[in-house]
Amino acid sequence: MKASRIAAAGAVAGVAVLAVSTPSFAHVSVQPEGEAAKGGYAVVDFKVPNERDNASTTKLEVTFPTDHPLASVMPQPVEGWDVKVTTSKLDKPLEMHGKKIDEAVSKVTWTAEGDGIEPGFFQKFPVSVGTLPEDADELVFKALQTYSNKEVVRWIEVPQEGQEEPEYPAPVLTLSEASEDGHSHGAADDDKASDDAAAAENASARTSASDDEGDSGGTDTTARVLGVVGIVVGAAGVAYGVLAGRRRTTA
């Protein structure tokens, strides 16, 4: 009994130490809806979990990268939240759709109009962005999360390859390679192929049916001819038998 109690106490203590020493895994993050391909547009979601038991998240500020500015940034309205888009002048103008752009979005701020994100919940904030850079593998978005008790958590530490994740990592968007033709095939081509296959199968079925009907007609004709011949031969045989019988009787 004493040994089991000691083991149980040790397990509880170990869990408590682990909880204190391990950094929080529920942090502000960014993920694309689908994929975020280089040189294209994407809708990305900033996911914000509430890490406090006694306060709600009431504000989120996301700073957009200045090393790879995005000319087009359009937040999707989120019920219960006010959104503000801040733009800044660019040191080097961007060219987009044949036009030069000398400013880009530098920050997007969401402010709760009500209780915000309460304990035990999370919220997604969708944003359409583009065009994504072709000379980068990822984009870093630094974020500030404000709680109803005025606490501010700064998710601004840039993760480094080969190192452990920092305690307050900044949201990082991973970019995928663009497709060779710039767009994807798939459903339409597959449907067309299926339709072609179905048409070919139907045509084959019709041809087989015609062949079967032709063969059946030929077989019926042959059977009828043989039937008539059989009747004639049978009748001739009967007549021959009758005449033979009469001759024997006469003799």
Side-chain angles (χ1 to χ4, degrees):
M1 291 295 293
K2 291 183 178 180
S4 62
R5 290 178 181 176
I6 293 173
V12 171
V15 171
V17 172
L18 181 63
V20 172
S21 60
T22 303
S24 174
F25 291 99
H27 51 74
V28 176
S29 60
V30 59
Q31 292 293 334
E33 295 184 4
E35 67 174 6
K38 298 178 181 180
Y41 287 79
V43 174
V44 300
D45 294 329
F46 291 96
K47 182 180 178 181
V48 183
N50 191 342
E51 297 185 306
R52 302 293 180 262
D53 296 329
N54 58 351
S56 298
T57 296
T58 57
K59 188 177 182 180
L60 174 69
E61 300 173 72
V62 176
T63 300
F64 281 65
T66 56
D67 54 343
H68 294 96
L70 301 173
S72 175
V73 176
M74 293 184 292
Q76 178 177 316
V78 178
E79 185 177 357
W81 293 80
D82 177 70
V83 60
K84 179 183 178 182
V85 178
T86 303
T87 59
S88 301
K89 290 287 184 180
L90 298 175
D91 296 333
K92 183 180 179 181
L94 298 175
E95 186 169 340
M96 183 177 179
H97 303 303
K99 297 181 179 180
K100 287 190 175 181
I101 299 174
D102 59 358
E103 66 178 16
V105 172
S106 56
K107 184 170 64 174
V108 178
T109 304
W110 290 269
T111 305
E113 297 175 337
D115 295 333
I117 308 172
E118 298 181 348
F121 293 88
F122 73 90
Q123 177 69 54
K124 288 184 178 181
F125 299 92
V127 182
S128 173
V129 296
T131 53
L132 298 172
E134 299 181 359
D135 57 349
D137 295 324
E138 61 184 25
L139 294 177
V140 178
F141 300 86
K142 296 183 178 182
L144 302 181
Q145 182 179 9
T146 303
Y147 287 89
S148 56
N149 59 3
K150 306 303 179 184
E151 178 188 4
V152 178
V153 180
R154 302 169 63 84
W155 304 100
I156 62 173
E157 298 177 13
V158 181
Q160 301 296 327
E161 186 176 356
Q163 298 183 12
E164 293 184 0
E165 183 180 63
E167 186 175 1
Y168 299 100
V172 177
L173 176 66
T174 301
L175 305 181
S176 60
E177 295 296 333
S179 59
E180 294 182 1
D181 57 2
H183 63 281
S184 61
H185 303 289
D189 292 342
D190 292 343
D191 291 344
K192 184 177 184 303
S194 299
D195 291 343
D196 290 345
E201 184 177 352
N202 291 336
S204 176
R206 288 194 297 270
T207 301
S208 299
S210 298
D211 292 343
D212 292 342
E213 291 176 358
D215 293 344
S216 178
T219 303
D220 290 345
T221 302
T222 302
R224 290 171 183 171
V225 171
L226 292 177
V228 172
V229 171
I231 292 172
V232 172
V233 171
V238 171
Y240 178 79
V242 171
L243 291 176
R246 289 179 177 178
R247 289 175 181 176
R248 292 194 189 96
T249 303
T250 304

